[in-house]
Amino acid sequence: EFGVYGWTTPANIFLTASWYKWLDNNQDIRNCFVKDSTGANVPNSYNGRGTDESFTVPLVAEFRISQRFCSPNSGFQGTRAIEKVKLPLVLENYTDIGVLWDTQRFFNIISVIQSSNATQAYQIFRFILSIAFNIRAQIAEERAELMEAQVEQDEMTAYRIVTDRIREIRDPQFHKILVGAYFSLCLSDDFEVIGFEDSITGADARSGSAGDFSIMSEDTLVEGVEAKDNTIQFDFTHINAARNRIIANPTMTRYTMVTTGNQIVSSVASIDRIYNLIDSILQETGCLIRLTNLRVLIAENWGQFNMTDYLHEITRHLGNENIPDIRDRTITSWMDLLEEE
């Protein structure tokens, strides 16, 4: 289950808990919260979240083993659901903690770590690490195979792949690459597209970034691009978040919001009110927000670039080992799409 959605948090907890149990075998690793839900100190506890962020996260970052394995930020954030359940705050077999994990399996593993001696905890720590390194080797093998793949489709087949068949791949980072690859292929050499190697969460408005991608001209940020997968349609929340990014990056003159789905604006949002808001932001900041989708972008440049080249560009970025957050089976699913067609 490592790397499957909902299991990145437990991977961090297992790695941190076994590491701590190895180094301090007297510690009850189930007591990983220093304060309970009332703010009172938890006796005989250790700071699981602090340990994870200070040691585990830097470890997996150094060896680039978080992808498809654990959280690259802080896996213990997922334990907030446990913190709200009841006292005492220990990792015991709660029946309903409101998380996506297989809780029975999770608590069984925690129990094994807790009952281990120092030598056993060390072996558990090593075993969990070996899973991460095996996953990294598998990813490298997939990407090497991808880079050697022959992409030979006619224009209409390539068009059908990127406007229709891509909905079969449910990976936000993949859909982000679809959008970024379009801009990197279509823009002239006077522009540079930055952002492929950022996490999918990097466009969070609070981060102050220009979006998922920054389009630069002579070292000046001129456009921000936000990419959403085919399940997302834009609404007032997205527009207001875009305004925050525009204000944080005043050199932008355009902010493009792209979904890879067919429907651009949410059905519950008023089109007139959406564009009234966009007009008010333009008047306030001088930056125009553009709402579009991948199909429209391709239509705007139809005949100006080769669709097979577009498939090559997508494949090239998917094969880049520095691209984070690619989900399990995304690369193989993309290769299957190319081969099936």
Side-chain angles (χ1 to χ4, degrees), residues 42-74:
V42 177
N44 303 316
S45 63
Y46 80 105
N47 192 333
R49 181 173 294 120
T51 304
D52 180 42
E53 294 175 356
S54 298
F55 298 98
T56 304
V57 170
L59 175 71
V60 299
E62 179 181 355
F63 292 98
R64 296 181 291 109
I65 55 175
S66 65
Q67 190 168 342
R68 299 190 200 168
F69 173 66
C70 69
S71 169
N73 301 310
S74 176

Side-chain angles (χ1 to χ4, degrees), residues 198-251:
D198 294 337
S199 172
I200 193 65
T201 59
D204 191 295
R206 292 170 297 179
S207 71
S209 73
D212 291 304
F213 298 101
S214 299
I215 297 180
M216 312 293 293
S217 176
E218 297 181 350
D219 298 325
T220 299
L221 173 62
V222 295
E223 182 175 357
V225 177
E226 182 175 346
K228 298 295 185 185
D229 66 47
N230 60 293
T231 65
I232 302 298
Q233 300 91 41
F234 298 113
D235 57 25
F236 295 104
T237 302
H238 298 106
I239 305 299
N240 281 311
R243 174 184 175 274
N244 293 335
R245 298 187 189 102
I246 292 168
I247 291 174
N249 298 275
T251 61

Side-chain angles (χ1 to χ4, degrees), residues 80-290:
R80 293 190 187 280
I82 299 177
E83 293 180 73
K84 298 175 182 177
V85 177
K86 62 179 181 180
L87 300 176
L89 277 174
V90 296
L91 292 181
E92 291 182 331
N93 201 359
Y94 301 151
T95 56
D96 184 13
I97 57 176
V99 296
L100 297 175
W101 324 330
D102 179 339
T103 53
Q104 185 61 58
R105 190 186 311 180
F106 171 79
F107 288 117
N108 286 345
I109 295 172
I110 288 294
S111 178
V112 169
I113 296 173
Q114 167 57 23
S115 62
S116 65
N117 59 37
T119 301
Q120 292 168 333
Y122 170 64
Q123 293 301 326
I124 293 171
F125 176 69
R126 286 189 59 185
F127 174 71
I128 296 173
L129 271 183
S130 72
I131 294 173
F133 281 101
N134 287 338
I135 291 172
R136 190 183 75 173
Q138 179 185 350
I139 294 171
E141 183 178 338
E142 288 177 2
R143 284 178 161 160
E145 184 179 355
L146 178 65
M147 297 302 283
E148 295 176 0
Q150 298 296 315
V151 182
E152 297 178 358
Q153 278 81 19
D154 58 64
E155 288 289 283
M156 288 308 303
T157 299
Y159 177 76
R160 185 168 62 250
I161 289 173
V162 298
T163 59
D164 181 37
R165 299 297 303 281
I166 50 94
R167 72 184 65 186
E168 299 172 18
I169 302 179
R170 299 182 178 181
D171 182 344
Q173 187 75 322
F174 168 77
H175 288 261
K176 171 186 169 180
I177 288 174
L178 290 177
V179 174
Y182 166 85
F183 280 95
S184 65
L185 185 65
C186 292
L187 292 176
S188 71
D189 293 339
D190 296 331
F191 297 92
E192 180 183 8
V193 181
I194 297 174
F196 282 99
E197 297 181 7
D198 294 337
S199 172
I200 193 65
T201 59
D204 191 295
R206 292 170 297 179
S207 71
S209 73
D212 291 304
F213 298 101
S214 299
I215 297 180
M216 312 293 293
S217 176
E218 297 181 350
D219 298 325
T220 299
L221 173 62
V222 295
E223 182 175 357
V225 177
E226 182 175 346
K228 298 295 185 185
D229 66 47
N230 60 293
T231 65
I232 302 298
Q233 300 91 41
F234 298 113
D235 57 25
F236 295 104
T237 302
H238 298 106
I239 305 299
N240 281 311
R243 174 184 175 274
N244 293 335
R245 298 187 189 102
I246 292 168
I247 291 174
N249 298 275
T251 61
M252 288 195 297
T253 57
R254 185 164 70 176
Y255 189 84
T256 298
M257 306 173 71
V258 187
T259 174
T260 58
N262 289 333
Q263 185 170 335
I264 298 172
V265 177
S266 171
S267 58
V268 300
S270 163
I271 298 292
D272 288 340
R273 291 176 58 199
I274 285 283
Y275 283 105
N276 285 339
L277 179 58
I278 288 174
D279 289 345
S280 69
I281 294 172
L282 173 61
Q283 184 174 9
E284 175 190 10
T285 65
C287 181
L288 178 64
I289 295 176
R290 174 173 61 153

Side-chain angles (χ1 to χ4, degrees), residues 32-50:
C32 61
F33 310 111
V34 293
K35 293 185 181 295
D36 63 27
S37 56
T38 69
N41 292 331
V42 177
N44 303 316
S45 63
Y46 80 105
N47 192 333
R49 181 173 294 120

